[in-house]
Amino acid sequence: MAHGGLQGLRVAVMSDESGWHVRRLRRALLARGAALVRCLDLAQCGVATGASRHGLVLPGFGKELPDAVIVRGVATGSFEQVTKRLTVLHALTALGVPVYNEARAIERSVDKAMTSLLLRAAGIASPPAWTTECPAQAQRVVLREAAAGHALVLKPLFGSQGKGLQLVGHVDGRFVPLPSLDAYGGLAYLQRYVPPVSAPGFDWRVLVIGGRAVAAMRRVSSHWVHNVAQGARCEAAELTADLARPAERAAQALGLDYAGVDLIPTPDGPQVLEVNGVAAWQGLQRVTPFDIAQALVDDLLDRKLAAARGRLSA
């Protein structure tokens, strides 16, 4: 898309905080000629069917819609609150506004059970996973895996940033039983633990934009949880084909415009651990010269917005 076609462009960045990521996106959008970039908290957006032709409440946009939306974050809340926030994103897509990433893709990526199913259906290597509401059934899985010498990672189904993770099963030569599931919403999502192949252990974060892997880093930690939010150290990593291919396939399987794909090394090659549809990239930006915010904005404008405008003019 020619830059001239962006005159008057108004973009909403959906985030519950206007921090580093929003500032980078705003700068990249203004550099491309956007006339207005407004940070909106989805908690403040809503539905008012009699107030406008589209029926949405988007602070700062009056009765008009933004030309495009970047979803930087969806804040946690009650089931009802999160449903309403996703309803706003679903409605924007239905109204023809390019949403980056769309609500349906975000729903797939935040649900670890759905992510595991979609990765398996696509034939992408990923550790075996189990999801059940029955504590007895979950404990049987833990016992069976422990008998085979495996540990399991108990994760919140909708968790992020490495919070709430516990090792159960065969852990450091002893048996660790499944704890109460009350803190996990009465649900067990269990993923087979992949032991480190080196010390200290690490995993990879690969960023995929518009279907193409563009940057990678190693997250190194003496702890078995390698999230940056849990103290892992970021190191530059070569973006090899063995990392790029599964990351790109994982983003495609979940229908994501952009994704942070976490991969773990194994003797048989990298396996996909998780796929993040509202990925942070501050740690990755520190170890790569690649301008991530600009790449995200360019993909939104040159691919997704251009496609939407092409459909309108067809």
Side-chain angles (χ1 to χ4, degrees), residues 224-303:
W224 62 272
V225 179
H226 302 304
N227 295 74
V228 175
Q230 300 302 318
R233 182 177 75 254
C234 301
E235 295 181 351
E238 181 185 0
L239 183 57
T240 64
D242 286 344
L243 293 177
R245 278 196 300 264
E248 290 168 355
R249 292 178 62 207
Q252 181 182 29
L254 273 66
L256 291 161
D257 293 308
Y258 78 99
V261 183
D262 299 337
L263 301 102
I264 193 80
T266 79
D268 299 319
Q271 294 190 9
V272 175
L273 281 179
E274 294 188 1
V275 184
N276 193 324
V278 284
W281 69 88
Q282 189 169 7
L284 179 57
Q285 187 65 82
R286 287 199 297 265
V287 297
T288 179
F290 184 80
D291 190 334
I292 294 171
Q294 195 64 62
L296 291 166
V297 165
D298 289 346
D299 185 53
L300 166 65
L301 301 182
D302 298 337
R303 179 182 60 84

Side-chain angles (χ1 to χ4, degrees), residues 21-308:
H21 290 87
V22 172
R23 291 195 299 271
R24 299 282 292 206
L25 290 169
R26 183 190 304 275
R27 186 176 70 183
L29 285 160
L30 293 175
R32 286 294 308 267
L36 173 69
V37 181
R38 185 174 293 277
C39 179
L40 295 185
D41 187 344
L42 279 166
Q44 304 304 317
C45 301
V47 174
T49 57
S52 64
R53 58 179 178 81
H54 50 72
L56 292 176
V57 176
L58 303 171
F61 286 91
K63 294 186 177 182
E64 300 303 315
L65 292 171
D67 298 295
V69 170
I70 300 177
V71 183
R72 173 59 214 113
V74 180
T76 58
S78 68
F79 179 78
E80 291 81 4
Q81 289 171 326
V82 174
T83 298
K84 186 273 294 180
R85 294 165 194 170
L86 291 171
T87 291
V88 171
L89 297 180
H90 278 296
L92 286 163
T93 297
L95 290 162
V97 178
V99 178
Y100 192 94
N101 285 305
E102 294 182 3
R104 187 178 179 190
I106 292 173
E107 288 167 350
R108 294 185 186 120
S109 66
V110 299
D111 180 346
K112 291 182 175 60
M114 178 58 72
T115 296
S116 293
L117 284 169
L118 291 171
L119 293 175
R120 179 176 178 81
I124 300 167
S126 182
W130 297 261
T131 310
T132 178
E133 296 181 43
C134 175
Q137 185 178 18
Q139 192 66 274
R140 285 195 293 272
V141 171
V142 173
L143 288 167
R144 185 175 66 247
E145 286 289 295
H150 298 304
L152 295 167
V153 185
L154 173 65
K155 301 181 179 183
L157 188 70
F158 302 130
S160 63
Q161 297 184 328
K163 297 176 182 177
L165 276 58
Q166 294 191 50
L167 283 178
V168 297
H170 185 78
V171 182
D172 296 331
R174 63 188 181 91
F175 177 72
V176 178
L178 189 76
S180 168
L181 297 179
D182 290 347
Y184 294 85
L187 184 80
Y189 172 85
L190 296 159
Q191 187 180 57
R192 184 178 291 169
Y193 173 64
V194 179
V197 298
S198 64
F202 70 93
D203 67 7
W204 292 283
R205 162 62 63 90
V206 177
L207 184 66
V208 179
I209 299 177
R212 184 173 66 90
V214 297
M217 69 175 174
R218 293 196 338 156
R219 303 186 299 185
V220 183
S221 176
S222 57
H223 193 270
W224 62 272
V225 179
H226 302 304
N227 295 74
V228 175
Q230 300 302 318
R233 182 177 75 254
C234 301
E235 295 181 351
E238 181 185 0
L239 183 57
T240 64
D242 286 344
L243 293 177
R245 278 196 300 264
E248 290 168 355
R249 292 178 62 207
Q252 181 182 29
L254 273 66
L256 291 161
D257 293 308
Y258 78 99
V261 183
D262 299 337
L263 301 102
I264 193 80
T266 79
D268 299 319
Q271 294 190 9
V272 175
L273 281 179
E274 294 188 1
V275 184
N276 193 324
V278 284
W281 69 88
Q282 189 169 7
L284 179 57
Q285 187 65 82
R286 287 199 297 265
V287 297
T288 179
F290 184 80
D291 190 334
I292 294 171
Q294 195 64 62
L296 291 166
V297 165
D298 289 346
D299 185 53
L300 166 65
L301 301 182
D302 298 337
R303 179 182 60 84
K304 192 147 188 168
L305 179 60

